[in-house]
């Protein structure tokens, strides 16, 4: 029975209404972030521990930790394993730092840089302007430059999501003959590093903002690719490195409004040689509701960007000086709302 049926003769039942609307669910992400930052999953990976033992390991206030673990249980991140013992669940395993996981992602999307602007979502809807500058006095990317710890978590989030994207790209696109790949906004370098593994004769160029380039450098150093990559710190809305025979834009246009997206694509067209290729991988806005619609509002709130339809992507590319646009299937994700589009410099 719903909390209210619209019948004025029936009483409003607020406790039942709370279960129906769940307006307090905003805190779930913050609980996940707290567990990730405390590295509780790392310390439970070897087996169950008590709250007291965990408190010693993470240097926490034991009574407060015991209370916090109860809400972690509520969100099914941990489970009881005996008297005053806790164990990881499958969901909690995703917060470990010593295996591929969503730890960095969970911290980044629930950190102040992303959550504070969401407090102004109603203003964003009213005005059509992103909220980050109103919340912080700076734009989204300037915020990360000023908050390096959050920037690193954001980079970890991008890396964790990019691993799967890189494998899908390798399976979906023929990189034969490519000699110079320019990855535009490509930090932390996960995708470009995988492409360089796939195309051993190619050289890479990665352009991104000053604060992001060192994070990409760590990726290439760890994979012993530094001699094959040129790192360019700069604003791709001003210019991009010239001479690439393939320009890669992965999830870049979604963070840009139409004017900025047009400017970036024009810069790529100016930098590319005739018949140079541009490969676009980005979220696709469709008529069917999906997580992309949630992402789209996030872009609206944080950066002023937007997800676009295939026709909108192709329109931007054509206006910037690219032609012969063709949609490619993304292997393993053929039915996902993701656009993979190749175009050629006219």
């Amino acid at each position: 029975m719903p909390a209210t049926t619209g019948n004025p003769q029936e009483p409003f039942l607020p406790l039942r209404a709370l279960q129906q609307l769940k307006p307090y669910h905003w805190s779930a992400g913050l609980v996940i972030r707290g567990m990730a930052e405390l590295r509780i999953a790392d310390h439970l990976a070897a087996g169950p521990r008590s709250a007291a033992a965990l408190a010693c390991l993470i240097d926490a206030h034991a009574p407060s930790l015991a209370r916090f673990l109860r809400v972690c249980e509520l969100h099914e991140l941990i489970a009881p394993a005996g008297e005053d013992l806790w164990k990881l669940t499958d969901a909690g395993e995703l917060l470990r730092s010593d295996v591929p996981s969503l730890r960095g992602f969970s911290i980044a999307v629930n950190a102040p840089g992303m959550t504070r602007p969401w407090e102004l979502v109603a203003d964003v809807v009213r005005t059509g302007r992103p909220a980050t500058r109103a919340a912080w006095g700076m734009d989204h990317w300037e915020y990360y430059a000023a908050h390096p710890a959050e920037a690193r978590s954001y980079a970890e989030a991008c890396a964790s999501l990019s691993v799967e994207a890189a494998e899908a790209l390798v399976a979906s696109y023929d990189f034969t003959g490519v000699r110079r790949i320019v990855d535009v906004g490509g930090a932390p370098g996960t995708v470009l590093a995988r492409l360089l593994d796939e195309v051993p004769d190619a050289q890479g160029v990665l352009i991104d903002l000053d604060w992001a380039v060192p994070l990409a450098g760590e990726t290439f150093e760890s994979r012993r690719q530094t001699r094959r990559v040129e790192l360019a710190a700069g604003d791709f809305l001003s210019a991009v490195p010239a001479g690439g025979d393939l320009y890669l834009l992965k999830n870049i246009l979604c963070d840009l409004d139409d004017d900025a997206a047009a400017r970036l694509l024009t810069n790529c067209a100016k930098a590319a040689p005739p018949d140079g290729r541009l490969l676009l991988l980005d979220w696709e806005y469709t008529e069917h509701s999906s997580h992309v619609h949630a992402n789209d509002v996030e872009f609206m709130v944080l950066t002023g960007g937007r997800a676009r339809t295939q026709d909108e992507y192709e329109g931007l590319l054509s206006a910037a000086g690219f032609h012969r646009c063709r949609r490619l299937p993304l292997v393993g994700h053929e039915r996902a709302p993701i656009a993979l589009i190749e175009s050629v410099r006219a």
Side-chain angles (χ1 to χ4, degrees), residues 243-247 268-277 321-324 343-346:
D245 50 8
L246 180 67
Y247 285 79
C268 291
K270 290 178 179 178
D275 292 330
R277 288 174 283 172
F322 290 92
H323 67 163
R324 288 167 28 203
S343 59
V344 179
R345 164 80 156 79

Side-chain angles (χ1 to χ4, degrees), residues 188-274:
T190 309
V191 174
L192 182 56
R194 178 64 183 90
L195 299 188
L196 292 178
D197 286 339
E198 182 70 14
V199 194
D201 294 331
Q203 296 291 312
V205 183
L206 184 144
I207 178 172
D208 216 317
L209 297 171
D210 289 356
W211 61 265
V213 164
L215 300 173
E218 293 176 12
T219 298
F220 298 118
E221 185 174 355
S222 70
R223 297 175 72 146
R224 300 181 180 178
Q225 295 175 325
T226 53
R227 293 185 178 182
R228 298 179 59 196
V229 181
E230 173 189 336
L231 298 177
D235 182 358
F236 54 57
L237 294 180
S238 298
V240 300
D245 50 8
L246 180 67
Y247 285 79
L248 174 64
L249 273 68
K250 176 196 167 294
N251 294 123
I252 300 301
L253 294 191
C254 61
D255 277 321
L256 304 176
D257 62 28
D258 286 345
D259 289 343
R263 191 156 70 250
L264 170 56
L265 292 174
T266 298
N267 290 342
C268 291
K270 290 178 179 178

